Amino acid sequence: DPCRNFHCKRGKVCQADRQGKPGCICQDPAACPSTKDYERVCGTDNKTYDGTCQLFGTKCQLEGTKIGRQLHLDYMGSCKYIPNCTDYEVDQFPLRMRDWLKNILMQYYERDQDTTGFLTEKQRHKVKKIYQNEKRLMAGNHSAELLLHDFEKNYHMYVYPVHWQFYQLDQHPADRSLTHSELAPLRASLVPMEHCITRFFQECDRDQDKLIGLKEWCHCFGIKE
């Protein structure tokens, strides 16, 4: 099978030509496998798709058009009303996000006590210092005032989680800047719960070049130069 080890980007599938040479063609959205209700996704066109296969297949068929360029995965789940984010809410967003990232690393560190593989040895060494700090906040819903106080008092505990998340996303390619596609795994899972995340990342892109560099990312989260 000439397509066996031939990979195509999302929205495309491999098909051999008459000479048996593999190539990529757009996935037919109608030919996508059936999905469960919880696998539905919402596109940036505010249309619900039966899974990412259908969404990216549709985007591929619209390649070269304005609609195709603007179509991306917005968030996981069927499309629903997402309230506008107020100025106050977007100002408070980094407080919750920093705390959330820190607690994700705490959970990974705890899981590694029983099953290794969540963090590398270097990452475990860095997270251990945060984990052992008796002043750290336990995971939960905390007031903005408490989160701000903890950030100012224990600033060093929040730096690594912010850097860690950036490099987790910066993979395709790893070039110290995040594209819309690289942000998608984080954005798409959080939009229904954190309706300010889209505006937050739009405002992170200070030079409006459609990329979020490491300095822009850190600035958004209040990390010093």
Side-chain angles (χ1 to χ4, degrees):
D1 181 3
C3 285
R4 184 173 183 180
N5 294 313
F6 193 83
H7 299 286
C8 299
K9 69 178 185 179
R10 298 185 80 170
K12 295 190 175 186
V13 292
C14 178
Q15 178 175 294
D17 61 17
R18 293 179 178 178
Q19 287 74 41
K21 186 178 180 180
C24 295
I25 61 170
C26 287
Q27 165 76 53
D28 178 6
C32 288
S34 59
T35 57
K36 306 291 186 182
D37 287 347
Y38 61 81
E39 293 177 305
R40 289 177 178 168
V41 298
C42 184
T44 47
D45 56 354
N46 201 36
K47 178 182 175 183
T48 298
Y49 292 85
D50 291 332
T52 54
C53 173
Q54 190 181 91
L55 169 64
F56 288 106
T58 302
K59 178 177 174 63
C60 181
Q61 292 188 334
L62 295 170
E63 199 169 325
T65 67
K66 183 179 180 180
I67 297 175
R69 287 192 297 273
Q70 294 178 340
L71 179 59
H72 299 285
L73 169 63
D74 199 6
Y75 53 89
M76 308 305 289
S78 300
C79 294
K80 60 182 181 180
Y81 171 71
I82 303 292
N84 290 327
C85 178
T86 66
D87 292 343
Y88 175 78
E89 287 175 321
V90 82
D91 286 343
Q92 301 301 311
F93 181 80
L95 299 174
R96 298 191 302 276
M97 194 69 177
R98 283 190 304 250
D99 189 55
W100 183 69
L101 293 176
K102 176 169 66 71
N103 283 308
I104 283 180
L105 283 175
M106 297 301 101
Q107 291 172 21
Y108 280 171
Y109 184 84
E110 288 176 343
R111 291 177 188 175
D112 271 1
Q113 308 291 342
D114 303 316
T115 308
T116 58
F118 288 100
L119 300 171
T120 65
E121 196 61 38
K122 185 177 180 181
Q123 289 172 336
R124 281 179 55 78
H125 177 70
K126 287 182 174 291
V127 177
K128 183 178 180 180
K129 295 178 181 179
I130 305 173
Y131 186 84
Q132 291 179 334
N133 190 319
E134 61 184 7
K135 297 185 181 69
R136 73 184 181 90
L137 290 179
M138 298 300 290
N141 292 321
H142 303 295
S143 68
E145 292 75 15
L146 181 60
L147 291 175
L148 180 60
H149 175 73
D150 194 59
F151 176 62
E152 292 172 344
K153 189 175 182 180
N154 300 300
Y155 170 80
H156 64 284
M157 295 202 311
Y158 291 90
V159 176
Y160 182 69
V162 171
H163 284 187
W164 169 80
Q165 181 64 86
F166 182 90
Y167 287 108
Q168 289 294 110
L169 297 170
D170 183 28
Q171 300 290 336
H172 307 290
D175 57 359
R176 295 172 69 88
S177 63
L178 301 178
T179 64
H180 189 285
S181 296
E182 287 175 316
L183 279 170
L186 181 64
R187 274 193 68 262
S189 59
L190 289 181
V191 167
M193 296 176 288
E194 286 284 3
H195 66 281
C196 283
I197 194 167
T198 297
R199 179 178 165 185
F200 176 74
F201 285 138
Q202 286 173 345
E203 295 182 5
C204 270
D205 182 16
R206 301 177 77 189
D207 58 8
Q208 297 295 299
D209 66 349
K210 306 295 184 183
L211 299 170
I212 297 179
L214 179 58
K215 284 189 176 181
E216 289 176 319
W217 176 270
C218 290
H219 180 269
C220 281
F221 284 102
I223 304 302
K224 301 166 188 173
E225 288 287 337

